[in-house]
Amino acid sequence: MTGVNDIRESFLSFFEKQGHTRRASAPLVPQNDPTLLFVNAGMVPFKNIFTGAETPFAPRATTSQKCVRAGGKHNDLDNVGYTARHHTFFEMLGNFSFGDYFKEQAIQYGWDLVTKEFGLDPKRLLVTVYAEDDEAAALWKKIAGLPDDRIIRIATSDNFWSMGDTGPCGPCSEIFYDHGDKIPGGPPGSPDEDGDRFIEIWNLVFMQFEQSADGSRTSLPKPSIDTGMGLERIAAVLQGVHNNYEIDLFANLIKAEEDLYGAKAEGDHLASFRVIADHLRTSAFLIADGVLPSNEGRGYVLRRIMRRAMRHGHLLGAREPMMHRLTPALIGEMGKAYPELGRAKAAIESALEQEEGRFQRTLGRGLSLLDEATTGLGAGDALPGETAFRLYDTFGFPLDLTQDILRSRGMSVDTDAFDAAMDVQREGSRSAGFTSGDTATDDIWFAVRDKSGATKFGGYAATEDQGKL
Ligand code: ATP
Ligand code: MG
Ligand code: MG
Ligand code: MG
C-alpha cells in the first residue's frame, strides 16, 4: 500500500520533473491577507503573484499546502464526522503556472498524473467544466478521450472561481472519482450530488479573466493556472478505501486513540474517534503556527474545535486530560513532512492539556444541564436560547458545540433568543463592568473570561459569513 507520505512525494516530484519549483507550505495564518481567517487553499500564499502585485519567484511551482476550513466562507466543521471526504485540516496538493502554461497543458498534466503516475482506471473518472467553457470540454475529449456524458457542464459558481469581487477569475474544471454504486450519491450536477459516491479529487482553475469593479471581465494577457487536489482524498482512492478516515494516516491515529481511551472505533463511537483525529490535527497545526485558544478571532475558532473534540473524548470516557497524549502519534505520522510539529511538541501538549483540564471542570455539569433542559423535547424542537446562553456563559460551551450535540437528536437552538441574551449581557457588562471579587472561584473566573471574550467575539461572528475577521 502506498502511504500518504509517499503519495505527497509522488505528486510533488511529478511536477518538479515538469519544471515546477517545489515550495514548502506557507503557515496557516495568512501572511498577506489580514481579512482571511486561515489559509484555505494552495493558491492563497500566491495571491499577490496572481494579481500581478508581486513578481513570481519562478514561472511554475508545486506545493502541498496546509489548509484549514473551519470558519469563514469555507467552513467544513459541520461536515466532519458526517461525510467521508471533509476535514477541518487537510493538505492541498497543487501545481501553479504564473502566466506560463495554460489550459491545455494543465489538463494534460492532470490526466497524466491521475491515470499514468497514479494509475487510476479512466472508467472511474469523470470531469466537470463550466457550462460556457467549450474549450475545456473539447480538451478533455481530445486529451482524455472521455465520452460526452462524463464531461459534465455546470453553470453555477461551483465551476467559476474568483478571488473576490475584483481581480483574477475564471472557469474551473473538477475531476471526480466514482467509488461505485454501493455508495449513495449522484454525479456532480445531479440532485444528490452531495452524497459520497462521486468524490471530487482535484480542482483545476483556469485564471483567464480580470474582473473590474463594475462587473465587466477582460481577458488576461497571461492567463494562469491554480490547482488543488486533496491529499487525503486521493490517498483514499489509491489505498482502495472509500472514507478518508480509513487511510493509513487516520487508521494509525485512530489506533492510538483506541489504546488511549480504551474503547473501540466502532458503532456509536466511530464518529467520535474520527472527529478527535481530525480536530487533533487542526489544533496541533494551528498551535504550531502560533495560534492559541482564546475568546476571539482565530483563537476562538481553535477553542471551538478543541472543545468539540474534548466533548467527544468525554463520550469515550475521558475524565482527565487525554488528547495531548496523542501528540506523539501525530508527530509520528506527519512530523517528517512538517518539522514544525516536532518543534512545537511541548507547546501543543501543554495547550491541549490546559484547555481540556479547564473545560472538564464545567463540561460534565453543562452536559447534565443540557440533558435536563431537553427532557420533554424531541426531534424538530429548539432548545431555549437562554439555556444555550447559560451553557455558553457559565459552562464554557461555544454555541456551535451545543448545536452539534443537539444535532444528533434532531434538535436545534433558538439562536434569536441566544443572541438577545448575549446583547443583554453586553449592555450589562458595559455599564457595570466585571468584578472578580472574593467569590472568584475557578468557574466564575472562567465565566467572566468567556463573557469578556464574548463581547469581542460578537463583532467577528457578525461578519463571519464573508470569511472576514
Ligand atoms: P467539496 O465540494 O467536496 O466540498 P470543494 O469544491 O469545496 O470540495 P475546492 O475548494 O475545490 O473543494 O478545493 C480543492 C480540493 O481540495 C478539492 O477538490 C478536494 O480534493 C480538497 N478539499 C476541499 N475541501 C476539503 C476538506 N474539507 N477536506 C479534505 N479535502 C478537501
Ligand atoms: Mg467544499
Ligand atoms: Mg466542490
Ligand atoms: Mg471544488
Side-chain angles (χ1 to χ4, degrees):
M1 181 186 71
T2 323
V4 166
N5 286 311
D6 301 319
I7 298 168
R8 182 193 306 106
E9 181 55 34
S10 333
F11 182 100
L12 296 171
S13 63
F14 174 88
F15 282 105
E16 241 175 0
K17 275 183 239 136
Q18 315 297 334
H20 294 63
T21 301
R22 186 193 293 219
R23 273 274 177 121
S25 172
L28 282 167
V29 175
Q31 309 285 290
N32 58 0
D33 186 350
T35 67
L36 188 68
L37 262 182
F38 302 116
V39 171
N40 55 22
M43 61 74 60
V44 171
F46 304 134
K47 270 187 176 176
N48 290 338
I49 297 180
F50 286 122
T51 59
E54 238 172 62
T55 315
F57 51 89
R60 308 169 168 208
T62 183
T63 59
S64 177
Q65 174 64 45
K66 301 182 277 189
C67 292
V68 166
R69 292 190 175 185
K73 191 168 79 171
H74 288 288
N75 185 354
D76 286 329
L77 187 53
D78 288 326
N79 289 325
V80 173
Y82 294 90
T83 71
R85 68 187 200 277
H86 288 107
H87 307 292
T88 54
F89 170 94
F90 64 99
E91 291 177 67
M92 197 184 285
L93 300 164
N95 57 293
F96 305 92
S97 153
F98 306 121
D100 188 28
Y101 62 85
F102 195 50
K103 210 175 280 188
E104 175 157 15
Q105 183 67 78
I107 290 177
Q108 183 76 56
Y109 284 147
W111 190 250
D112 285 350
L113 182 82
V114 290
T115 58
K116 294 192 187 131
E117 183 78 11
F118 287 161
L120 299 191
D121 176 359
K123 286 203 256 342
R124 293 261 185 173
L125 298 170
L126 57 163
V127 301
T128 60
V129 296
Y130 186 54
E132 292 163 26
D133 195 357
D134 297 329
E135 188 190 6
L139 285 168
W140 279 115
K141 197 167 186 162
K142 178 177 117 186
I143 292 167
L146 285 174
D148 290 337
D149 64 349
R150 283 197 281 131
I151 303 174
I152 301 171
R153 287 172 184 260
I154 305 277
T156 67
S157 61
D158 270 0
N159 280 69
F160 195 89
W161 179 90
S162 52
M163 199 182 279
D165 296 336
T166 59
C169 60
C172 59
S173 185
E174 299 187 319
I175 305 179
F176 285 74
Y177 184 81
D178 179 1
H179 280 268
D181 58 13
K182 290 192 183 61
I183 294 149
S190 73
D192 50 350
E193 65 174 359
D194 279 335
D196 275 330
R197 172 174 170 185
F198 296 87
I199 289 190
E200 176 188 330
I201 52 173
W202 204 354
N203 189 354
L204 315 183
V205 178
F206 312 125
M207 280 185 216
Q208 63 190 93
F209 304 113
E210 167 89 18
Q211 179 142 326
S212 349
D214 65 8
S216 64
R217 283 176 199 152
T218 48
S219 292
L220 285 169
K222 286 170 112 191
S224 290
I225 292 293
D226 150 36
T227 84
M229 169 187 266
L231 173 60
E232 300 79 0
R233 293 188 189 183
I234 187 69
V237 171
L238 293 175
Q239 294 179 8
V241 294
H242 168 243
N243 193 301
N244 278 18
Y245 291 89
E246 289 167 16
I247 64 175
D248 60 331
L249 186 158
F250 279 104
N252 294 339
L253 287 181
I254 288 174
K255 175 77 186 55
E257 288 177 50
E258 289 186 323
D259 293 345
L260 178 66
Y261 293 98
K264 280 255 154 239
E266 57 192 22
D268 286 349
H269 282 160
L270 183 59
S272 293
F273 277 94
R274 289 176 173 171
V275 171
I276 293 170
D278 175 80
H279 292 6
L280 170 74
R281 294 209 306 167
T282 312
S283 305
F285 274 95
L286 285 175
I287 296 163
D289 281 345
V291 182
L292 283 172
S294 75
N295 286 329
E296 57 179 340
R298 299 188 173 97
Y300 195 60
V301 177
L302 171 59
R303 169 160 285 161
R304 285 162 47 202
I305 291 169
M306 288 170 121
R307 291 189 173 197
R308 278 190 179 218
M310 289 159 185
R311 201 273 297 189
H312 282 283
H314 188 272
L315 289 175
L316 298 178
R319 294 297 179 270
E320 59 185 69
M322 303 280 264
M323 214 175 141
H324 63 288
R325 289 164 61 189
L326 295 166
T327 310
L330 177 64
I331 294 175
E333 294 303 313
M334 301 189 71
K336 209 160 165 238
Y338 297 98
E340 64 268 36
L341 275 185
R343 288 197 294 268
K345 180 167 183 277
I348 295 166
E349 288 176 337
S350 81
L352 284 168
E353 186 176 7
Q354 280 182 38
E355 185 72 12
E356 193 161 6
R358 218 181 262 156
F359 189 36
Q360 280 171 341
R361 280 188 227 135
T362 53
L363 174 60
R365 280 185 291 135
L367 290 171
S368 308
L369 173 77
L370 187 58
D371 277 342
E372 278 162 35
T374 49
T375 323
L377 297 185
D381 290 337
L383 179 78
E386 297 72 20
T387 312
F389 183 72
R390 184 144 176 255
L391 283 168
Y392 163 80
D393 193 38
T394 309
F395 297 92
F397 281 43
L399 175 61
D400 68 291
L401 173 69
T402 304
Q403 291 170 316
D404 186 49
I405 298 171
L406 292 174
R407 179 172 166 187
S408 59
R409 307 179 202 164
M411 295 178 211
S412 59
V413 173
D414 177 351
T415 49
D416 288 342
F418 177 89
D419 292 343
M422 180 81 97
D423 286 344
V424 168
Q425 188 209 54
R426 241 180 246 150
E427 285 306 314
S429 65
R430 221 169 276 145
S431 53
F434 290 117
T435 50
S436 55
D438 39 29
T439 54
T441 64
D442 270 351
D443 288 353
I444 291 172
W445 177 82
F446 202 73
V448 170
R449 265 178 53 116
D450 263 357
K451 262 184 204 167
S452 53
T455 309
K456 289 180 211 140
F457 182 65
Y460 155 66
T463 53
E464 191 179 27
D465 284 352
Q466 284 84 51
K468 307 285 184 193
L469 269 179

